Amino acid sequence: MTSLPAKTEKKLGLVIDLDTCVGCQACVTNCKQWNTGGHMAPLTDLNAYAAEADGVWFNRVHTYEVTGSTACGASPARNSSSRTMHFPRSCLHCEKPDCVTVCPTGASYKRESDGIVLVNEDKCIGCKLCSWACPYGAREFDVFEGVMKKCTLCVDRIYNENLAEEDRVPACVLTCPTSARHFGDLGDPNSNVSKLVAARGGVDLMPEMGYAPTNKYLPPRARKDTAPAAMPAPELAPAPGGFLGWVDKLLSR
Amino acid sequence: MHPAFSVIFFTTASGAGYGLLTVAGVLAVLGLLPQNVWFALACSFTALALITAGLLSSTFHLGHPERAWRAFSQWRTSWLSREGVLALITYIPALGFAVAWAFPQTHVPLAALGALVAVFSMLTVFTTAMIYRSLKPIHAWHNKWVVPCYIVLSLMTGSVILLALSAGLGVTVKFLAAACGVLLAAGLTVKWLYWSFIDETAGPATPASATGLAATGPDVQVRSVEWPHTEANYVMKEMGFAIARKHAGRLRNIAIWLGFLVPAVLIETTILLPQLFSGLLAVPAAMVMAAGVVVERWLFFAEAKHAVTLYYGAQKA
Ligand code: SF4
Ligand code: SF4
Ligand code: SF4
């Protein structure tokens, strides 16, 4: 059914820290690795080793130059400076996603239990309308299979009892070397992710579209202007004894 | 947005077919529809052929056309599904109307069926327009001019084709040439207003809001320096299609001349000419208009920018 649930029991989602993401693409790679054998498998690649390579990916990391933000420097003198920001983009498992309601077949749906937005590949006719309805470009059509594919929030990991409990998180979260990605219930104000969003002023992407994304992004933190302009290396203390002490003595004469 | 030929053909052909049925239906209600079996059959056949060919062509761009029947299920939320359901239902009054019109001896109530077919045809065109109108990420579609454009262009193309058929078969339909003129003028007006609207306005999102940073300060500027991928992906191929402004301007002129002005001049000339010559002008008028409307519909897709392009360097969408 493409009618949205009035309320979901949980709001599972990601919190992505734009301050610490270094754009290493590890999350992209592990996402592809897990999901090409997972719930929406395969994530088809076309011409993978040739020009015009194309393929389905659920996670894409952009790089932007940001200027004018307080994050670029707190003092007016440094406001003109800019910073590089890496920006992972994937499905935000929105609370009011038109990608679900426009689907004519019921293949697209939002789960009442945890709010995850999924595609039932057996029902999908490949009309692509849902991908038009997503402002975030989160859905990618599999030309080879003729169906729409998208991030599953690793629905086949997070409840998977064959995995060790600490591994029951999305592949991207598990792999991020800088811990820029956090997973949890954003519907529970006491969850770690909700506290993180509150503490860091987490934001929605394109709030003006009215999709009420579940995933939140933590903007880059304000750059400190207190760092000293120069940091001289400490002088070497003379060694107390031994051969080097003897050399030191000899040279200091 | 990528202009897929199947969808361009579907919206123009089925739009014309439903327009033809609507105009004929309204003429029947007004008692102005000439009773002529060949004219009736030609009109009904043309309308249903345009509609059916359009519907079939729209299934060609599906990844799984064999599952198309599933698209009738989600009419509660999906305009695409509603369109499918209405398109199917409309066949019933359309066939009834065809019988009533061609074979009056059957005593099928012509005016009632004319009203019914007109209402259902327009509802179907309305749902087609709403598929586009409801897509918030595409400013060129999510605006108040899209529904009027689809409705008026459907009536306009339908009436011009009806006129061409009547002229070709030597049947006179009172007021039809004048109505075509009015509809061509109305079509050009709504299209003109649509184009000015999309030229002068942009969608609400910006690169700063797309990355969430707009919330952190009013003067934030976000500039794309590196894409996530070196080759175009599905999102860029489907949603990133961009047509140069210069080309769009030329194509708009072509659409204006072929789709509206030339047919209007040809058709209004027929009013002055004896019956014999009107077919010589009304038929080419319909053909020129068809070409112009295809260009217009191609532009409807090609000029539409999707909000996702903001992630890929667009400053507005
Ligand atoms: S990010 Fe896009 S695909 Fe994901 S739920 Fe929101 S609208 Fe749908
Ligand atoms: S492509 Fe599939 S999931 Fe998307 S709207 Fe069409 S049928 Fe639904
Ligand atoms: S793995 Fe972490 S640091 Fe690397 S690109 Fe992904 S979110 Fe950024």
Side-chain angles (χ1 to χ4, degrees):
Chain A
M1 267 309 288
T2 53
S3 301
L4 295 174
K7 200 179 161 296
T8 58
E9 282 161 43
K10 283 184 177 178
K11 294 180 190 172
L12 294 187
L14 300 176
V15 173
I16 296 172
D17 191 342
L18 299 176
D19 195 63
T20 44
C21 172
V22 292
C24 67
Q25 312 273 340
C27 51
V28 178
T29 314
N30 205 28
C31 167
K32 180 88 167 185
Q33 161 70 20
W34 176 265
N35 283 296
T36 202
H39 181 82
M40 291 243 78
L43 304 199
T44 312
D45 282 323
L46 301 168
N47 296 328
Y49 305 104
E52 293 176 22
D54 194 355
V56 180
W57 300 73
F58 294 163
N59 185 14
R60 304 274 191 179
V61 179
H62 296 252
T63 303
Y64 297 103
E65 180 196 59
V66 182
T67 49
S69 158
T70 46
C72 296
S75 73
R78 294 188 64 173
N79 254 352
S80 56
S81 67
S82 65
R83 69 187 281 164
T84 301
M85 180 180 80
H86 303 288
F87 179 87
R89 177 174 60 81
S90 58
C91 174
L92 309 170
H93 297 280
C94 305
E95 281 176 55
K96 293 179 198 148
D98 282 5
C99 64
V100 170
T101 51
V102 300
C103 174
T105 63
S108 237
Y109 62 105
K110 183 170 175 72
R111 308 209 311 180
E112 199 166 345
S113 55
D114 51 18
I116 297 180
V117 175
L118 291 175
V119 175
N120 178 343
E121 282 179 80
D122 296 329
K123 281 189 180 175
C124 175
I125 57 172
C127 69
K128 303 179 183 166
L129 192 58
C130 55
S131 65
W132 295 2
C134 171
Y136 310 102
R139 292 175 170 242
E140 299 202 6
F141 186 67
D142 186 331
V143 189
F144 190 72
E145 302 260 311
V147 294
M148 193 54 74
K149 306 224 163 155
K150 68 176 293 300
C151 160
T152 67
L153 205 61
C154 284
V155 74
D156 43 10
R157 289 189 66 91
I158 57 177
Y159 300 112
N160 191 337
E161 291 180 358
N162 296 317
L163 298 177
E165 204 166 335
E166 65 270 24
D167 287 344
R168 288 180 210 159
V169 291
C172 57
V173 174
L174 189 71
T175 206
C176 178
T178 64
S179 297
R181 308 179 70 98
H182 307 268
F183 166 71
D185 181 5
L186 286 142
D188 170 7
N190 294 317
S191 68
N192 285 340
V193 279
S194 296
K195 284 183 194 156
L196 190 58
V197 170
R200 290 277 308 280
V203 291
D204 284 350
L205 306 186
M206 287 196 231
E208 58 279 4
M209 289 285 161
Y211 283 48
T214 301
N215 287 11
K216 300 285 182 263
Y217 283 73
L218 308 178
R221 277 178 277 213
R223 217 185 250 163
K224 284 205 179 70
D225 282 346
T226 49
M231 273 259 230
E235 271 178 50
L236 281 176
F243 175 70
L244 285 179
W246 177 74
V247 173
D248 181 54
K249 240 189 216 163
L250 203 71
L251 293 177
S252 315
R253 246 184 229 164
Chain B
M1 299 294 295
H2 171 69
F5 179 75
S6 56
V7 183
I8 293 169
F9 178 74
F10 161 63
T11 57
T12 50
S14 71
Y18 288 121
L20 206 169
L21 288 178
T22 307
V23 175
V26 169
L27 288 170
V29 172
L30 298 175
L32 293 171
L33 198 62
Q35 193 69 66
N36 173 316
V37 63
W38 296 115
F39 181 46
L41 290 177
C43 290
S44 297
F45 178 79
T46 308
L48 291 173
L50 282 169
I51 292 166
T52 310
L55 288 172
L56 286 179
S57 119
S58 75
T59 64
F60 291 162
H61 88 287
L62 298 181
H64 280 278
E66 79 284 1
R67 298 179 187 162
W69 58 272
R70 289 190 182 274
F72 299 118
S73 64
Q74 302 303 310
W75 47 269
R76 283 184 196 80
T77 65
S78 163
W79 285 105
L80 178 53
S81 188
R82 288 172 195 161
E83 180 203 44
V85 172
L86 275 166
L88 214 59
I89 294 178
T90 307
Y91 275 101
I92 302 166
L95 289 169
F97 178 68
V99 171
W101 183 12
F103 310 107
Q105 58 274 31
T106 54
H107 296 292
V108 182
L110 180 65
L113 276 162
L116 216 56
V117 81
V119 168
F120 275 94
S121 296
M122 281 300 102
L123 279 176
T124 311
V125 175
F126 173 72
T127 52
T128 307
M130 283 307 291
I131 296 172
Y132 303 102
R133 165 79 169 98
S134 65
L135 293 170
K136 296 180 194 120
I138 306 161
H139 177 67
W141 295 352
H142 187 62
N143 66 67
K144 58 178 187 272
W145 294 110
V146 168
V147 172
C149 281
Y150 268 82
I151 299 271
V152 174
L153 262 69
S154 158
L155 292 171
M156 174 191 106
T157 48
S159 63
V160 171
I161 293 172
L162 185 66
L163 184 76
L165 288 169
S166 71
L169 291 168
V171 179
T172 316
V173 186
K174 259 192 227 149
F175 308 122
L176 184 56
C180 286
V182 172
L183 284 166
L184 284 160
L188 183 55
T189 310
V190 284
K191 208 58 216 183
W192 191 272
L193 291 168
Y194 167 83
W195 278 322
S196 341
F197 178 83
I198 64 167
D199 285 348
E200 284 157 19
T201 56
T206 62
S209 78
T211 48
L213 296 193
T216 64
D219 59 339
V220 188
Q221 297 287 325
V222 175
R223 191 173 67 89
S224 169
V225 290
E226 202 168 24
W227 282 17
H229 36 89
T230 52
E231 310 280 335
N233 66 344
Y234 164 73
V235 169
M236 285 317 287
K237 287 176 189 166
E238 183 78 7
M239 263 82 78
F241 185 95
I243 173 175
R245 237 193 145 71
K246 186 180 78 188
H247 294 159
R250 270 196 205 135
L251 286 166
R252 278 187 194 181
N253 282 335
I254 293 177
I256 289 170
W257 281 99
L258 296 187
F260 306 94
L261 298 179
V262 174
V265 170
L266 289 177
I267 286 170
E268 296 324 305
T269 318
T270 64
I271 299 180
L272 309 172
L273 290 180
Q275 172 77 37
L276 189 61
F277 296 104
S278 59
L280 290 176
L281 289 180
V283 175
M287 288 172 169
V288 172
M289 178 200 67
V293 169
V294 167
V295 176
E296 175 274 324
R297 207 54 52 92
W298 189 88
L299 278 173
F300 179 73
F301 287 87
E303 287 193 290
K305 250 180 132 183
H306 194 284
V308 74
T309 55
L310 296 170
Y311 289 109
Y312 286 89
Q315 287 301 309
K316 54 181 187 162

